[in-house]
Amino acid sequence: MARALITWGGWEGHQPDVVARLFATWLEEAGMQVQVTDSLSCFDDPADLADLSLIVPVWTMSEIGKEQAENAAAAVASGVGLAGCHGGMCDAFRTNVTWQFMTGAQWVAHPGNDGVNYRVRMTSDHETVNGIGDFDVSSEQYYLHVDPAVKVHAVTDFPVVEGPHSPNGPVEMPVVFTKAWGNGRVYYNALGHQANVIDHGPAAELMRRGLLWAARK
């Protein structure tokens, strides 16, 4: 049976425990064996990591050990999938560049903070977004520094809220993207400030598909 590891922690405002349970439910419904932990010690054993089908980090900020990050990166490069959302994957472990290189982006701002009304637009026919129409969200709108190697499948438009970024003019910011890390598939979705943003409707379907797409087949 395919095995998934979900590890959660960090800033409590993102409800990492609730988001982790949501992801576990979707993966179990898809027939996967799921381990959920609130410790980063799960990254200590390279052999166990390499035996997984999927790693799902749900950590905002916090710190990861250098060897732990390298073990996770090696596992993904060997073919283990990596998937996550919002700050739980791309605002985790801000001081670890290996993590940022692997995940493909780093959060830097959310102008207007929570409760910004914005549209998510599909921009490809990739299987993670195909048939899901554009939709509106009221949440944090993530401004990311993004790896130019990623394949973008959904975007949002900046600026919605005025700020020092506004004089640069309109910017299409990735919301959903995929990339390769060695033999592994990496999926990221910028939605998910709290569980109620991604537990229903098209946002939920985007995230559910992304988790399953990334998992090693």
Side-chain angles (χ1 to χ4, degrees), residues 6-24 36-38 58 195:
I6 302 175
T7 177
W8 65 269
W11 186 59
E12 295 181 357
H14 278 161
Q15 300 179 327
D17 54 336
V18 181
V19 172
R21 289 196 298 270
L22 176 64
F23 292 169
V36 181
T37 177
D38 63 353
V58 192

Side-chain angles (χ1 to χ4, degrees), residues 16-17 21 29 32 35 43 45 53 71 73 84 99 112 131 141 150 155 160 171-172 174 180 192 204 215:
D17 54 336
R21 289 196 298 270
E29 289 174 348
M32 299 186 73
Q35 173 190 353
F43 290 149
D45 186 343
S53 292
N71 288 344
W99 186 266
Q141 187 186 31
V150 305
V155 301
V160 173
V171 174
E172 288 188 349

Side-chain angles (χ1 to χ4, degrees), residues 137-205:
V137 176
S138 180
S139 184
E140 290 181 339
Q141 187 186 31
Y142 259 22
Y143 202 104
L144 302 164
H145 285 176
V146 183
D147 182 346
V150 305
K151 308 300 182 186
V152 179
H153 308 299
V155 301
T156 186
D157 297 313
F158 279 83
V160 173
V161 176
E162 292 299 309
H165 60 297
S166 301
N168 295 306
V171 174
E172 288 188 349
M173 183 61 58
V175 173
V176 173
F177 66 72
T178 58
K179 66 173 287 188
W181 183 259
N183 292 319
R185 290 178 167 186
V186 177
Y187 171 89
Y188 177 70
N189 186 332
L191 302 175
H193 175 58
Q194 293 188 331
N196 62 8
V197 178
I198 54 170
D199 66 0
H200 66 283
E205 182 63 11

Side-chain angles (χ1 to χ4, degrees), residues 23-210:
F23 292 169
T25 298
W26 289 338
L27 293 174
E28 288 168 350
E29 289 174 348
M32 299 186 73
Q33 178 184 339
V34 182
Q35 173 190 353
V36 181
T37 177
D38 63 353
S39 171
L40 290 173
S41 64
C42 59
F43 290 149
D44 290 342
D45 186 343
D48 188 61
L49 290 174
D51 190 51
L52 296 168
S53 292
L54 180 66
I55 297 170
V56 184
V58 192
W59 285 80
T60 303
M61 296 177 282
S62 196
E63 295 286 340
I64 190 171
K66 180 180 179 181
E67 188 172 348
Q68 291 175 326
E70 290 175 350
N71 288 344
V76 176
S78 76
V80 179
L82 180 71
C85 74
H86 201 65
M89 186 164 120
C90 285
D91 190 25
F93 322 131
R94 292 177 180 176
T95 62
N96 191 283
V97 293
T98 296
W99 186 266
Q100 293 173 17
F101 193 12
M102 174 174 63
T103 57
Q106 173 60 46
W107 169 86
V108 293
H110 42 55
N113 300 311
D114 196 14
V116 174
N117 298 314
Y118 63 95
R119 172 146 284 222
V120 177
R121 295 189 290 108
M122 307 303 121
T123 58
S124 84
D125 60 358
H126 191 263
E127 62 192 275
T128 57
V129 300
N130 190 30
I132 299 177
D134 301 349
F135 61 97
D136 295 320
V137 176
S138 180
S139 184
E140 290 181 339
Q141 187 186 31
Y142 259 22
Y143 202 104
L144 302 164
H145 285 176
V146 183
D147 182 346
V150 305
K151 308 300 182 186
V152 179
H153 308 299
V155 301
T156 186
D157 297 313
F158 279 83
V160 173
V161 176
E162 292 299 309
H165 60 297
S166 301
N168 295 306
V171 174
E172 288 188 349
M173 183 61 58
V175 173
V176 173
F177 66 72
T178 58
K179 66 173 287 188
W181 183 259
N183 292 319
R185 290 178 167 186
V186 177
Y187 171 89
Y188 177 70
N189 186 332
L191 302 175
H193 175 58
Q194 293 188 331
N196 62 8
V197 178
I198 54 170
D199 66 0
H200 66 283
E205 182 63 11
L206 282 177
M207 194 65 226
R208 188 191 68 83
R209 287 192 196 181

